[in-house]
Amino acid sequence: MAAALQILPRLARAPLRPLFLGGPVARLASGMALAEQARQLFESTVGAVLPGPMLHRALSLDLDSGQLKVRDRSFQLRQNLYLVGFGKAVLGMAAAAEELLGQHLVQGVISVPKGIRAAMEHAGKQEMLLKPHSRIQVFEGAEDNLPDRDALRAALAIRQLAEGLTADDLLLVLISGRGTPAAHRADRHQCHGCPHPIPAATVTA
């Protein structure tokens, strides 16, 4: 996927060689059409892997019944949903999740790379940021992708939230990056290590 994202912009900018006989106007029109198709393909590919659209493909909420569907599983929401997450794409995923879940989301804690919020603001990616009065607490840490005290504080906060839940609560876990394969192995729709069995659903990117 990364290679495709690198090649497509070059394809859109590359000088096009005529592949068929025709005058200069016909060749120019053909080249412009191909460049436009390449640009549209590039934009649709990037859009498909953005955190927000990915999360909306995995989650859906029936506002009338309060039923949350996570892929092929359904959960009844009664303002009893909590959220935790970690990874590079989790900030955008959490922003999309909070917008979708509304008042059903009670509290959340996410761990993201140091400096990611400033980077999103600088890039103008407001849709990747949480609202000012968000119910999700953000911990930045692991500078240069290395464990540090800030990352430890984030892990302890996530643990504290999970251990305080009851069997009537729901836990939504958002994971991106290198934690994804381990999450697939460990996910049994239970909160591991919690004092009570807690229904949990994992969304990975």
Side-chain angles (χ1 to χ4, degrees), residues 73-158:
R73 292 175 61 89
S74 294
F75 302 88
Q76 183 63 49
L77 299 187
R78 302 182 185 86
Q79 295 184 335
N80 58 341
L81 181 67
Y82 295 78
L83 180 152
V84 297
F86 52 88
K88 293 181 177 67
V90 159
L91 184 61
M93 293 169 69
E98 186 167 32
E99 183 178 356
L100 172 70
L101 298 169
Q103 297 299 315
H104 290 292
L105 179 62
V106 179
Q107 183 185 356
V109 177
I110 60 174
S111 174
V112 297
K114 193 174 186 65
I116 192 168
R117 285 180 292 186
M120 292 298 104
E121 289 175 0
H122 181 73
K125 299 291 186 182
Q126 296 300 318
E127 71 278 7
M128 303 278 283
L129 297 170
L130 295 167
K131 298 295 188 291
H133 302 292
S134 172
R135 298 179 181 180
I136 300 173
Q137 185 177 10
V138 181
F139 287 85
E140 292 191 8
E143 189 171 8
D144 298 325
N145 213 27
L146 296 174
D148 56 20
R149 289 184 179 275
D150 290 331
L152 176 60
R153 288 177 55 242
L156 292 175
I158 290 173

Side-chain angles (χ1 to χ4, degrees), residues 23-102:
V25 175
R27 290 197 297 270
L28 178 61
S30 175
M32 291 175 64
L34 183 57
E36 177 62 20
Q37 290 175 5
R39 185 189 64 79
Q40 291 178 0
L41 177 60
F42 172 72
E43 290 182 352
S44 65
T45 302
V46 172
V49 296
L50 289 175
M54 288 183 66
L55 184 126
H56 282 287
R57 288 196 297 272
L59 299 182
S60 62
L61 175 63
D62 187 321
L63 297 176
D64 293 329
S65 66
Q67 283 278 334
L68 175 68
K69 188 171 183 180
V70 184
R71 296 195 175 92
D72 59 343
R73 292 175 61 89
S74 294
F75 302 88
Q76 183 63 49
L77 299 187
R78 302 182 185 86
Q79 295 184 335
N80 58 341
L81 181 67
Y82 295 78
L83 180 152
V84 297
F86 52 88
K88 293 181 177 67
V90 159
L91 184 61
M93 293 169 69
E98 186 167 32
E99 183 178 356
L100 172 70
L101 298 169

Side-chain angles (χ1 to χ4, degrees), residues 178-197:
R178 296 181 181 180
T180 301
H184 281 301
R185 291 194 297 270
D187 181 22
R188 297 180 182 176
H189 307 289
Q190 292 275 321
C191 174
H192 299 279
C194 295
H196 313 285

